[in-house]
C-alpha cells in the first residue's frame, strides 16, 4: 500500500488517506483480505498523528471497505471491492440516465441515442 499526502490538497489528511485506500481497492492493488498497516505504523510512515489515521480507518470500516479485528489488525473487507464496484456502477448509471434524458429533450429516438453513444465509444478507442 502506498499513500502520499499533500498539504496543498484542500481535503483533510484523513480524507486523503481514505480516498487513496479506496482507489487501491478499486484498482485491485489491495485485494480482499489484504492486511493494512497498523494505525501506528502508518502514522509513523506518513509522519502524522495516530488520531488522523484512526479516523480514516474508522470511516473506511463504517463504509464497509475494511474490517478491523482486535489483536489482528485491519484488512480489506471481502465485500469491500465489490461494494466499491457497485457504487461506481451506480454513478455510471446516473450519468447514462442524465445523458439519455438530455437526448430525449432534443427529440432523439432510441436509434439516434444508440448511434450517438456509439460515436463516443468509437472516439474512445
Amino acid at each position: 500500500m502506498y499513500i502520499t499526502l499533500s498539504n496543498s490538497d484542500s481535503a483533510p489528511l484523513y480524507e486523503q488517506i481514505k480516498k487513496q485506500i479506496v482507489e487501491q481497492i478499486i484498482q485491485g492493488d489491495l485485494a480482499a483480505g489484504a492486511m493494512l498497516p497498523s494505525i501506528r505504523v502508518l502514522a509513523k510512515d506518513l509522519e502524522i498523528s495516530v488520531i488522523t489515521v484512526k479516523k480514516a480507518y474508522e470511516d473506511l470500516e463504517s463504509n464497509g471497505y475494511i474490517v478491523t479485528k482486535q489483536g489482528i489488525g485491519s484488512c480489506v473487507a471481502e465485500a469491500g471491492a465489490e461494494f466499491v464496484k457497485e457504487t461506481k456502477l451506480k454513478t455510471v448509471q446516473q450519468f447514462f440516465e442524465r445523458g439519455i434524458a438530455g437526448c430525449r429533450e432534443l427529440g432523439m429516438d432510441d436509434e439516434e441515442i444508440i448511434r450517438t453513444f456509439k460515436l463516443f465509444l468509437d472516439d474512445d478507442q
Side-chain angles (χ1 to χ4, degrees):
M1 183 174 83
Y2 182 74
I3 305 277
T4 57
L5 301 177
S6 171
N7 288 330
S8 62
D9 190 329
S10 62
L13 295 177
Y14 78 93
E15 288 287 346
Q16 292 180 47
I17 294 167
K18 284 175 24 184
K19 180 181 179 198
Q20 290 179 52
I21 291 174
V22 169
E23 285 174 355
Q24 291 178 44
I25 292 170
I26 291 170
Q27 294 170 355
D29 297 332
L30 287 174
M35 294 300 294
L36 302 179
S38 73
I39 292 171
R40 292 189 196 295
V41 167
L42 187 56
K44 182 180 177 189
D45 289 348
L46 297 175
E47 299 179 347
I48 60 173
S49 164
V50 169
I51 296 168
T52 301
V53 177
K54 187 175 189 317
K55 170 74 171 140
Y57 276 29
E58 286 173 348
D59 286 2
L60 288 165
E61 185 166 22
S62 69
N63 289 315
Y65 297 114
I66 67 172
V67 176
T68 302
K69 296 178 182 172
Q70 195 68 28
I72 297 174
S74 299
C75 66
V76 177
E78 293 295 326
E82 190 60 35
F83 178 75
V84 170
K85 182 179 177 183
E86 194 60 37
T87 302
K88 288 275 187 189
L89 283 172
K90 183 177 178 183
T91 301
V92 169
Q93 177 182 339
Q94 291 169 343
F95 282 120
F96 275 121
E97 288 170 352
R98 279 187 250 157
I100 291 168
C103 290
R104 295 276 188 235
E105 288 174 9
L106 295 171
M108 297 171 72
D109 63 21
D110 289 352
E111 291 301 317
E112 290 175 299
I113 294 171
I114 292 169
R115 276 196 307 274
T116 302
F117 274 91
K118 282 185 178 180
L119 285 173
F120 286 109
L121 283 172
D122 291 342
D123 284 348
D124 191 45
Q125 295 177 2

